Amino acid sequence: MTESNRAPILSVSGLCKRFPLERGLLRSLTDWWRGNEPESVEALSQVDLQVFPQETVGILGESGSGKSTLARVLMGLYAPDAGRATFLERDLFASDPLIRLQNLRQMQMVFQDPFGSLDPRMTVRALLEEPLRVHRTFPRREWADRLVRGLAEVGLEPEALDRYPAEFSGGQRQRIGICRALILDPSLLIADEAVSALDVSVQAQILELLFRLKSVRQLSLLFISHDVAVVRQLADRILVLYQGRLVESLPADCLLQDATHPYTRRLLGAALELREAGQAVPEAAGMAVKDDGCPCRSLCRAFQPVCERRPVLEELHPGHRVACWRPTSL
Amino acid sequence: MLLQIADVSLTLRSSDGRCLPVLEQVSLDLDCGQCLGVAGESGSGKSVLALGLMGLLPRSSIAALEGTMIFQGRDLMRLAEAERRSLRGQALAMVFQEPMSAMNPLLTLEEQVGETVAAHVAGVSSSEIRRRVVQALKRSGFAEPERFLASYPHQLSGGMRQRAMLAMALVLEPQLIIADEPTTALDAALQVQLLKELRALVREQRHAMMFISHDLGVIRSIADRLAVMYAGVIVELGDVATVLERPAHPYTSALIRSMPRLVQERRLPQPIPGHLPHPDRKPAGCVFSDRCPRAQDLCRRERPSVSTLAGGQQVRCRFPEHD
């Protein structure tokens, strides 16, 4: 359900993030002396995306595709090198710390690792109160009530408040993580591989919880995952990231029939093989150091000289965009 | 038969002194050239089974043990430590789940893989160790192993680390390989590739493999037979395609429904209501009876015994589906 007539709550354009490559001291000094730009890896390159109210946008990509970097840049954990983002009509990358704090109150994240993302020395109460203390949006007397209601919402008893993360299972910890992300009543939730560390049956429980809360609280969701099956089942729209670039954007309903980009098709092939015993797929390519061509040249069967130039996302059908010079010849 | 596990029940003592029945009447067998998948949630006892086979459970934690694990005519659970040590690495080896914690960050790839050879083969020369290491790395899917011999674990990619783990298990060509979720941390494309290679290895080199995973999709693509474990009990055992296409135990079908699927209509995967019981709070009757949609009074009173269905699969359920 792409709601083209409504304004997006998050709108990102031209987002770039580079990380310097690790070099020896001598090499770095020579580079600096000669005025060479330090070599870097482009983790995100010209990423555009929009999230509409109550929409679930799935970001699909393998490790190294830049999907976690994207989440971290949006959350303000990394500063972007270029690009602009508007979130609820405010500048997401504003330098004013007050505006950033306001943005974060409306945008919260559920992390991948239910073990690493909760401080083992804090009780659940302390963990859940921390965002309330930082943001000061709700008066102190409301906290206790908020905590109990929040826990009930994710299916945990109030007794959990005085226990430590180590006393909970992975699934329960992820519930605590979700509760913590929702305690400030945000509008947008970023879930970065929120279920991939969990067993399949627990995964299903957490997904059900996440999507029930999403509809009850009318949240928008940016759901980041490497799992094609999960993203296809849950998202309204899917964006495919490859080596930091968006290569395809299409409605989730059309993924199986209409996916056009060779990389998307390759992901589908691998997932089909794992889930349904389908067909073979070629070996993955490594991370690219700055490069101006199509990132998929090495794995594409329809390679053309034009692919030495970088394709941009272009509309194939309404709602379906793909970054490929010859999408119809594939 | 290479490995015959018969009626193994194992009770472990927890650090606070409670007795936890972690395995109950587990029976399995496995022959050369075969891959047996063991599926179950965390806490189902599948890793304990693997550690028991490898002799890696501390003796002091074992409160009670019944049944036998006969491997090459010897009972693995009752071997002296020295005998176990001589089997590990040479006759049976394990591929662990997390390469970053199972590998020593201070050893190079060559030292890492070669350590097993040096420990088990008396008087082996360093050139012979290198030859074997290179061979094992090749068989684990390294295209040019020589390039990486001096690399430390952190310098290898996730896929390479996983292959290195495999090489560590393969270097002495053991008959039985126990793999505990060896591909979970990898991307789908890499996973598919590694699974194919493992499958070829088992078939061609006549290894036997026990492949432990919570992911039924992964097991389908590698195993010949599948054992589904729940709360320390094997609830269903049979040919992989039969068990996945015509599951007889309600837990197996619930597990299949909780998997996100790719080609079906779009809907959320269905969670199994309730939780896996803690080992010392298992239901008196069938272990799954408190979560089973079809449980009857009889199920809640008595543990069901194993029955064999027409399709050849064994199931521990009084009222199996597809009767």
Side-chain angles (χ1 to χ4, degrees):
Chain A
M1 51 166 191
T2 357
E3 290 128 279
S4 46
N5 48 348
R6 293 165 73 179
I9 73 162
L10 173 69
S11 172
V12 177
S13 63
L15 188 63
C16 295
K17 176 71 195 166
R18 278 185 296 274
F19 290 107
L21 273 183
E22 222 176 284
R23 306 278 299 273
L25 181 65
L26 190 65
R27 288 282 292 278
S28 322
L29 279 176
T30 351
D31 279 351
W32 171 77
W33 182 251
R34 292 189 184 145
N36 293 345
E37 224 170 277
E39 253 187 287
S40 59
V41 173
E42 235 175 354
L44 289 175
S45 167
Q46 298 292 334
V47 171
D48 299 337
L49 76 99
Q50 293 186 318
V51 181
F52 289 89
Q54 296 183 50
E55 188 188 26
T56 302
V57 174
I59 307 264
L60 192 59
E62 292 178 293
S63 46
S65 61
K67 52 194 197 313
S68 291
T69 308
L70 176 62
R72 288 180 185 176
V73 170
L74 293 178
M75 287 296 294
L77 298 173
Y78 293 146
D81 289 314
R84 291 202 311 210
T86 315
F87 177 57
L88 293 170
E89 293 163 6
R90 279 190 298 257
D91 180 6
L92 185 64
F93 302 139
S95 49
D96 182 348
L98 264 176
I99 296 184
R100 297 178 74 117
L101 203 63
Q102 277 178 336
N103 284 331
L104 281 178
R105 193 182 94 61
Q106 295 289 343
M107 181 195 289
Q108 288 283 310
M109 182 150 160
V110 180
F111 293 89
Q112 170 172 16
D113 181 358
F115 295 86
S117 57
L118 300 176
D119 187 330
R121 291 176 301 176
M122 288 167 87
T123 60
V124 172
R125 184 191 304 279
L127 283 165
L128 295 179
E129 278 181 354
E130 196 174 40
L132 296 170
R133 203 164 39 236
V134 171
H135 287 273
R136 297 185 207 160
T137 352
F138 303 101
R140 178 102 217 194
R141 62 192 142 76
E142 284 180 19
W143 287 11
D145 185 44
R146 269 197 106 69
L147 260 51
V148 173
R149 269 192 295 129
L151 281 178
E153 223 177 9
V154 298
L156 292 173
E157 301 292 322
E159 285 81 72
L161 281 175
D162 295 309
R163 289 159 63 192
Y164 288 89
E167 298 172 61
F168 296 92
S169 68
Q172 287 172 320
R173 284 185 221 210
Q174 210 54 319
R175 286 171 195 268
I176 297 169
I178 293 173
C179 181
R180 191 173 196 241
L182 292 178
I183 204 100
L184 294 166
D185 294 337
S187 323
L188 173 68
L189 204 59
I190 300 181
D192 183 10
E193 300 275 15
V195 295
S196 40
L198 305 171
D199 267 358
V200 184
S201 59
V202 183
Q203 214 177 68
Q205 290 173 359
I206 299 297
L207 286 175
E208 193 208 29
L209 173 71
L210 204 56
F211 280 79
R212 184 162 45 80
L213 291 176
K214 181 197 164 269
S215 72
V216 170
R217 291 173 160 248
Q218 310 194 320
L219 296 168
S220 308
L221 188 59
L222 196 60
F223 189 87
I224 299 176
S225 176
H226 70 282
D227 190 330
V228 186
V230 171
V231 171
R232 174 182 168 266
Q233 301 284 9
L234 306 177
D236 301 314
R237 204 150 45 85
I238 296 178
L239 308 179
V240 184
L241 264 182
Y242 179 64
Q243 297 192 351
R245 296 163 196 200
L246 276 183
V247 295
E248 192 155 11
S249 152
L250 77 171
D253 286 321
C254 316
L255 180 71
L256 290 183
Q257 309 82 357
D258 298 344
T260 305
H261 199 277
Y263 178 68
T264 316
R265 297 220 63 90
R266 199 172 68 106
L267 279 182
L268 271 177
L272 274 172
E273 177 107 356
L274 280 184
R275 298 278 178 219
E276 331 276 340
Q279 74 276 27
V281 281
E283 163 88 60
M287 185 87 181
V289 180
K290 254 184 159 178
D291 168 9
D292 296 321
C294 173
C296 297
R297 281 168 298 174
S298 55
L299 46 105
C300 187
R301 268 169 294 173
F303 177 79
Q304 302 276 325
V306 66
C307 300
E308 295 293 351
R309 284 191 293 128
R310 181 162 146 197
V312 287
L313 271 178
E314 278 187 76
E315 189 154 88
L316 198 62
H317 314 290
H320 184 173
R321 295 184 301 154
V322 58
C324 180
W325 291 112
R326 310 274 315 238
T328 46
S329 66
L330 294 165
Chain B
M1 202 57 71
L2 182 71
L3 173 71
Q4 266 183 313
I5 303 180
D7 277 322
V8 166
S9 299
L10 174 67
T11 305
L12 294 182
R13 195 176 290 114
S14 70
S15 49
D16 52 0
R18 282 178 305 168
C19 284
L20 308 174
V22 288
L23 294 178
E24 276 184 53
Q25 296 189 308
V26 170
S27 298
L28 283 177
D29 36 57
L30 184 55
D31 216 344
C32 294
Q34 269 189 4
C35 179
L36 171 76
V38 179
E41 298 169 69
S42 38
S44 62
K46 53 195 194 329
S47 294
V48 173
L49 179 64
L51 294 176
L53 276 169
M54 289 298 293
L56 293 176
L57 292 170
R59 281 269 156 108
S60 58
S61 70
I62 297 176
L65 173 69
E66 287 166 50
T68 51
M69 287 186 180
I70 307 291
F71 176 74
Q72 297 178 323
R74 285 185 284 186
D75 188 351
L76 286 178
M77 296 298 272
R78 290 172 184 82
L79 284 182
E81 188 51 39
E83 281 180 287
R84 272 186 179 173
R85 205 177 135 77
S86 70
L87 281 181
R88 268 200 300 261
Q90 298 196 77
L92 52 138
M94 185 153 173
V95 186
F96 292 91
Q97 185 173 359
E98 294 214 5
M100 263 326 235
S101 54
M103 287 171 95
N104 185 338
L106 299 178
L107 297 184
T108 63
L109 185 56
E110 182 176 7
E111 291 164 335
Q112 206 96 236
V113 181
E115 200 179 26
T116 319
V117 185
H120 286 284
V121 186
V124 67
S125 69
S126 59
S127 60
E128 171 65 9
I129 293 183
R130 171 166 291 203
R131 194 189 63 80
R132 291 203 192 193
V133 168
V134 168
Q135 196 189 7
L137 288 171
K138 268 205 184 113
R139 283 175 61 200
S140 317
F142 270 87
E144 299 165 87
E146 291 85 357
R147 268 182 60 200
F148 298 100
L149 285 178
S151 305
Y152 289 91
H154 74 273
Q155 295 171 312
L156 301 173
S157 71
M160 281 198 228
R161 264 183 240 142
Q162 207 62 52
R163 284 164 203 274
M165 293 285 300
L166 186 61
M168 284 161 72
L170 286 179
V171 68
L172 290 174
E173 308 197 8
Q175 283 115 322
L176 176 62
I177 303 166
I178 300 166
D180 191 359
E181 309 251 12
T183 60
T184 322
L186 301 177
D187 283 331
L190 260 176
Q191 246 186 73
V192 170
Q193 200 184 348
L194 199 64
L195 288 172
K196 273 212 179 105
E197 288 163 11
L198 279 177
R199 198 184 165 87
L201 202 69
V202 168
R203 290 273 161 79
E204 287 154 23
Q205 312 281 338
R206 308 285 300 160
H207 291 288
M209 178 177 271
M210 183 183 276
F211 192 96
I212 298 172
S213 177
H214 70 271
D215 191 333
L216 294 173
V218 170
I219 288 187
R220 179 204 282 259
S221 53
I222 184 159
D224 310 297
R225 285 189 309 143
L226 166 62
V228 181
M229 286 192 83
Y230 181 81
V233 176
I234 294 183
V235 293
E236 187 161 1
L237 173 67
D239 178 62
V240 120
T242 319
V243 173
L244 291 181
E245 273 144 42
R246 294 171 54 84
H249 199 283
Y251 175 66
T252 315
S253 45
L255 199 60
I256 293 172
R257 280 196 303 274
S258 74
M259 257 176 46
R261 296 295 292 269
L262 199 58
V263 291
Q264 291 165 346
E265 57 170 311
R266 297 213 306 133
R267 57 168 172 74
L268 281 167
Q270 291 172 23
I272 310 172
H275 301 280
L276 186 76
H278 196 262
D280 61 353
R281 285 192 289 271
K282 286 191 224 176
C286 168
V287 281
F288 191 55
S289 59
D290 58 339
R291 296 171 83 182
C292 180
R294 299 186 302 132
Q296 314 208 354
D297 278 348
L298 185 62
C299 303
R300 295 189 190 93
R301 275 202 313 271
E302 283 171 44
R303 286 268 206 280
S305 53
V306 178
S307 49
T308 307
L309 303 184
Q313 77 228 68
Q314 296 178 337
V315 59
R316 228 177 242 277
C317 178
R318 279 212 174 71
F319 309 102
E321 294 171 29
H322 299 295
D323 231 349

